[in-house]
Amino acid sequence: EFGQAMRQAMGRIERWLQEADADPNGPPFSLVHRMDVRRRRCVFTLGIPLSGLATNLPSDLESGFLPKCDVYTVRHIGAYRHLGNAWAAASLRQRHRVFRHNRVLLPFEVYETPPGSTAEANLVTTVNFPML
């Protein structure tokens, strides 16, 4: 279900990019608001970086800024269904005090390679935790 929700959100953003003749200024990302592994639920915001604040957006889209911050990054190569491994690795490193997660800022994934034109085994995603 997560993958389907992500594809729908990306499709909506891509349609707006075409309608607005807007150019992305980097790869897509998702902010993770809440994740419940046991219940298999995730609340996220999918985004596309732009060079400036988007205006005249439809009511189902919003624009904003992400604060500049240092991040602890785990790079994942492979299928999205295995991204939980990258999250688990980062969580273990946080517990072992390799880094301190800034809980005011949301963790986020950056999808470095486009899923439509990249083989599943070669997809590159970074899982990023803002640090104190």
Side-chain angles (χ1 to χ4, degrees):
E1 293 175 7
F2 180 73
Q4 181 181 359
M6 188 70 78
R7 283 188 295 279
Q8 287 175 343
M10 182 57 74
R12 176 62 185 107
I13 291 172
E14 287 173 346
R15 284 191 304 279
W16 176 80
L17 287 169
Q18 288 178 346
E19 292 166 5
D21 197 28
D23 291 322
N25 193 23
F29 63 91
S30 64
L31 296 167
V32 180
H33 300 275
R34 283 189 304 279
M35 186 180 303
D36 185 337
V37 177
R38 288 189 180 147
R39 292 184 179 170
R40 299 177 50 90
R41 293 185 183 173
C42 180
V43 177
F44 68 93
T45 298
L46 185 64
I48 299 282
L50 300 172
S51 58
L53 193 63
T55 57
N56 299 325
L57 287 170
S59 62
D60 61 332
L61 298 177
E62 59 185 67
S63 183
F65 289 97
L66 297 177
K68 187 175 181 176
C69 63
D70 291 326
V71 295
Y72 185 85
T73 299
V74 175
R75 187 170 188 247
H76 178 268
I77 300 173
Y80 293 140
R81 68 180 170 277
H82 300 301
L83 270 171
N85 294 331
W87 283 87
S91 293
L92 281 172
R93 289 182 177 107
Q94 180 184 353
R95 272 189 239 140
H96 291 290
R97 295 181 176 21
V98 172
F99 73 97
R100 290 183 57 208
H101 177 206
N102 180 344
R103 296 191 183 276
V104 173
L105 302 175
L106 296 173
F108 59 97
E109 296 177 348
V110 177
Y111 309 104
E112 303 288 343
T113 52
S117 59
T118 304
E120 187 178 59
N122 297 326
L123 291 170
V124 177
T125 307
T126 58
V127 177
N128 302 278
F129 286 81
M131 298 188 313
L132 290 176

